Amino acid sequence: MNGAPSGGDSTAPDSAWEELVTAALLGTDRRTPARLTPGRTAPAALLDAAAVMTVRRRAGLRPARAAQRPEPAPGDPRPALPAPAAHRLTTLLADRSGGAGSGRRGSSPDLMELLPQWLATANAHGYAAPPQALPALLDAARGRTDLRPAALAFAGPRALWLARLNADWRFALRAAPGGGAALPDAEEPEAVRRLWQEGLFAERAALLGALRARTPALGRELLASTWATERAEDRLMFLDTLRTGLSDADESFLEQALGDRSRNVRATAAELLSALPGSALAARMAVRATACVALDRTGNAPAITVEAPPECDTGMERDGVVATPPAGRGERSWWLAQLVEAAPLAGWRGRLGGRTAEEIVALPVADGWQGELHAAWCRAAVRQRDAAWSRALLGPPSAPEAGGPGAVSLAERAKLLASLEPAERAAWVAGFIATHGLSEAFQLLGVCAVPWAPPLGQAVVDALNIARDAGSYPWSFSGVMGLAERCLDPAEAVRLEALLAIPDEREDSAPGAGGYWAEAFQRLVTTLRLRAAMTRELAPPAPPTEPPQAAAPPTEPSRAAAPPTEPSRAAAQPPDAAG
């Protein structure tokens, strides 16, 4: 089979094959191979020659040593998906419409945007992924990094087994803790010590993160045992894991890290310590910050006065204050901001006359320092997750500025909202939308719990209805509409049905806007109903109820049974005596 081609052609097989491929690409009119079967048209002869050469190439392969068989895929002990949910997953993974890329999306739901919610619900119920769905699931996760944590959690150990066999799915090994290897438990100290001493960086980082989530003290002790020998970039990454389970017990280790050789490590340690209001660093920052901020009672009304620090000494730098400000920022205001945001918020009450957070924020600030001071308090409230200060700095949602004076951007307001309880957060955003509409609400809606609370959902629907009545196109609200499709309570679909009709167009309306709005609301209603169906399909089956047992037929009394009790007088009377 490895001999020369028929007809005495001694051309090397590889070069002959390349000649055929070149002729096929260019066309036989432009290039005809020299040795083709006579009497046939050039295209047909080319195909004949290619068929012969293909057989020759396959038959001429030399046998190779068989590769080692892969280990069988691991089992997945989790319960299987209900059949309707498995069918829904196949549909979601097959959708590649990506309708959000154009202005007009039509009335069909964007199924890929529902996949994250489907995965979250499936993971909450603890289902195992169907084996036949794993390739499509891994392909979807490869294209969307935001999907990976939930997709890999649902895919389970079999996805990692597949990832070792396909280079396209290697991201799963990098994303999985420890590269997909099983991490030892805290109850296995020798295995923990060996992996920490000998493992790769990803394995060690995953181990440290897992220990901090379950036994924070053990994770900190493990890090301390090798801290002096770690590389600076590794120390920074490891130190960041202490955010999980951060407590006063970590203060001693973090204080030592303040003397680290790396400026980034020192800054991270200082940030973590400032999140502990009872730490020594927080107390030092409080002394420095309160020395710069005071209450002035000499005027007609109390006011806050600010005297920024004149220098950044070595003690401040050791505690995380960055001496060099960004371009365009004054040094003293830069130092002041860092001191205030690292100081415990609880200390300002005593410094400023026993006032509450709301009263302090309401005080005027002299010499134009109000924006700088309040912005630093905003960052402190976010860092310390202080609801009272967050509430004070946000202000009422109906305020003309749509927030407190320190909330200088929507991003800062969103961060402050995250410190509030979900119900209060939703109520504040609902009030904001009712007053200011949807034009600036996108970032604020993103921090609200899903599904949206009824007051928030009603505020969003009402605002969309107002925008429709104004006659503008719905594309300006496509971001909010997309959020509504994923976050509105599916029960809102009933109330939205009234908006499906095409409204009468006003004279000042954009041409065709009513039809586009009806289409957008149709998509919203259809998506909400689809989400409700997904939830029903993923619900675990109800446990079977035992059928009621039939009553046993009366048994004939035994001859040895006890004698019957004496009947009552009424029962003992003859029938005609009962009246």
Side-chain angles (χ1 to χ4, degrees), residues 56 93 263 401 427 489 495:
R56 182 180 296 138
L93 290 172
R263 181 173 63 85
E401 295 182 358
D489 190 327
R495 196 163 66 89

Side-chain angles (χ1 to χ4, degrees), residues 182-200 203-212 214-226 230 238:
L183 298 175
D185 293 329
E187 292 75 19
E188 306 174 85
E190 183 57 31
V192 168
R193 185 198 63 79
R194 183 168 56 253
L195 181 59
W196 181 250
Q197 296 283 353
E198 303 172 5
L200 301 174
E203 296 172 328
R204 300 176 72 212
L207 175 64
L208 185 58
L211 291 176
R212 286 293 295 184
R214 296 193 298 265
T215 52
L218 180 58
R220 182 187 64 251
E221 293 166 4
L222 197 66
L223 178 57
S225 67
T226 60
E230 303 288 354
F238 290 147

Side-chain angles (χ1 to χ4, degrees), residues 1 16 75 191 219 226 270 366 383 483 523:
M1 301 296 288
T226 60
R383 183 181 298 185
L483 275 180
R523 183 178 62 250

Side-chain angles (χ1 to χ4, degrees), residues 301-545:
I304 295 176
T305 60
V306 175
E307 183 65 33
E311 63 175 348
C312 181
D313 57 35
T314 56
M316 290 167 59
E317 289 195 64
R318 182 183 182 276
D319 285 344
V321 176
V322 179
T324 305
R329 184 77 180 273
E331 282 185 336
R332 297 183 66 191
S333 65
W334 171 245
W335 301 331
L336 172 74
Q338 295 178 80
L339 296 180
V340 172
E341 69 181 83
L345 290 165
W348 294 109
R349 184 183 183 99
R351 176 62 173 168
L352 299 175
R355 290 172 170 80
T356 64
E358 289 82 357
E359 293 168 338
I360 291 173
V361 170
L363 287 172
V365 182
D367 301 327
W369 283 100
Q370 178 167 306
E372 192 73 64
L373 182 61
H374 284 203
W377 276 336
C378 280
R379 293 190 292 273
V382 171
R383 183 181 298 185
Q384 299 172 33
R385 300 195 65 81
D386 192 303
W389 273 87
S390 295
R391 195 177 296 117
L393 291 161
L394 277 167
S398 58
E401 295 182 358
V408 295
S409 67
L410 287 171
E412 293 230 0
R413 292 175 198 149
K415 292 177 182 178
L416 289 170
L417 281 169
S419 301
L420 305 181
E421 291 297 320
E424 184 179 2
R425 196 183 315 162
W428 195 96
V429 177
F432 178 92
I433 292 172
T435 304
H436 305 283
L438 292 170
S439 59
E440 295 185 347
F442 184 80
Q443 285 182 285
L444 306 179
L445 287 168
V447 300
C448 294
V450 177
W452 289 337
L456 178 57
Q458 182 174 349
V460 171
V461 172
D462 290 345
L464 288 171
N465 193 18
I466 292 171
R468 182 190 69 157
D469 292 343
S472 60
Y473 287 121
W475 305 321
S476 301
F477 305 95
S478 59
V480 173
M481 189 68 81
L483 275 180
E485 292 170 12
R486 300 188 295 274
C487 302
L488 264 179
D489 190 327
E492 292 285 340
V494 176
R495 196 163 66 89
L496 286 164
E497 289 179 351
L499 303 177
L500 299 182
I502 299 177
D504 296 332
E505 292 191 4
R506 298 165 28 180
E507 293 183 358
D508 57 346
S509 297
Y516 294 139
W517 274 107
E519 194 175 73
F521 280 122
Q522 179 64 64
R523 183 178 62 250
L524 177 55
V525 170
T526 305
T527 303
L528 294 179
R529 289 174 177 162
L530 182 56
R531 285 175 50 209
M534 285 166 38
T535 302
R536 290 193 300 269
E537 293 162 357
L538 285 165
T545 57

